[in-house]
Amino acid sequence: MSSPSTIEVKEAFDAHLSAVYGQVDRLEGTVREQAESLIRKDEQYRASMNDMVEAKDRTIALLQKKLAESEEEIKNMKASIKAKDRELKCRRHHSQLLIQMCRNRARLNNLVALMEDTLELPCFPNVEQCALLPNVPHFVPSDDDNEDSSDAARRFFGTSV
């Protein structure tokens, strides 16, 4: 084998150099394609991420609105419960008064009967005429009558005034 001539070496070198440049061009094209693909994917991911962020923000706003509505509803319910508790307390008090009235019904009936008898009189008598009136049985106090009169009045009428 003989050694290649300079022209052959130069031609081989030029062919090799041309092949290397061709390979570099192909690799640069591949890199460019991959870069463009990555840029497109990045844009898609950014758009997708922006859509997710907007959806999250809308969901958060909706949940905050529902939370505010729920808190307002709870506030209204608490106010309603307080009002109903006050009404219940008042009704319990009235119930206790009615129970006391029922316990004292016989005495109230006697009082009403005496008042009706008084209305049948032609007029209120003078002191001298009191002796002519039939004897009215004296009021016989019961155990309940021994209570403090202001407490009894407060219980019967619901006030101390």
Side-chain angles (χ1 to χ4, degrees):
M1 275 207 131
S2 71
S3 88
S5 69
T6 359
I7 294 177
E8 289 175 338
V9 170
K10 190 174 180 185
E11 285 176 359
F13 178 75
D14 287 341
H16 178 69
L17 192 57
S18 177
V20 168
Y21 281 128
Q23 183 68 18
V24 167
D25 286 340
R26 281 191 301 279
L27 290 174
E28 284 177 348
T30 302
V31 168
R32 231 184 339 271
E33 287 174 9
Q34 288 177 348
E36 289 171 359
S37 174
L38 287 174
I39 290 171
R40 281 192 304 274
K41 286 181 182 179
D42 186 52
E43 288 172 354
Q44 289 173 348
Y45 289 140
R46 284 179 194 249
S48 176
M49 184 65 78
N50 287 339
D51 290 344
M52 285 189 276
V53 167
E54 288 174 7
K56 174 196 64 109
D57 290 343
R58 282 191 305 271
T59 302
I60 288 173
L62 179 65
L63 291 174
Q64 286 175 336
K65 181 180 175 184
K66 285 183 179 180
L67 177 63
E69 290 171 355
S70 296
E71 287 173 344
E72 184 66 26
E73 187 175 347
I74 288 170
K75 180 181 167 187
N76 292 339
M77 286 180 173
K78 284 182 178 180
S80 175
I81 288 171
K82 271 188 173 179
K84 288 181 180 182
D85 282 345
R86 283 191 302 269
E87 183 178 343
L88 181 63
K89 185 178 179 181
C90 183
R91 289 180 186 233
R92 282 184 179 152
H93 177 71
H94 288 152
S95 171
Q96 291 299 319
L97 291 176
L98 289 172
I99 288 169
Q100 289 296 324
M101 286 179 195
C102 289
R103 286 182 184 157
N104 294 300
R105 184 173 179 196
R107 282 190 257 166
L108 289 173
N109 286 340
N110 288 338
L111 179 62
V112 169
L114 287 173
M115 292 172 78
E116 287 174 349
D117 290 345
T118 305
L119 290 175
E120 292 174 4
L121 294 176
C123 66
F124 287 108
N126 293 333
V127 176
E128 302 86 36
Q129 295 174 334
C130 284
L132 301 175
L133 288 175
N135 287 336
V136 177
H138 291 345
F139 176 73
V140 178
S142 69
D143 292 337
D144 292 337
D145 293 332
N146 294 333
E147 295 177 3
D148 183 17
S149 63
S150 63
D151 287 341
R154 218 176 287 127
R155 192 173 65 236
F156 283 120
F157 301 110
T159 180
S160 61
V161 179

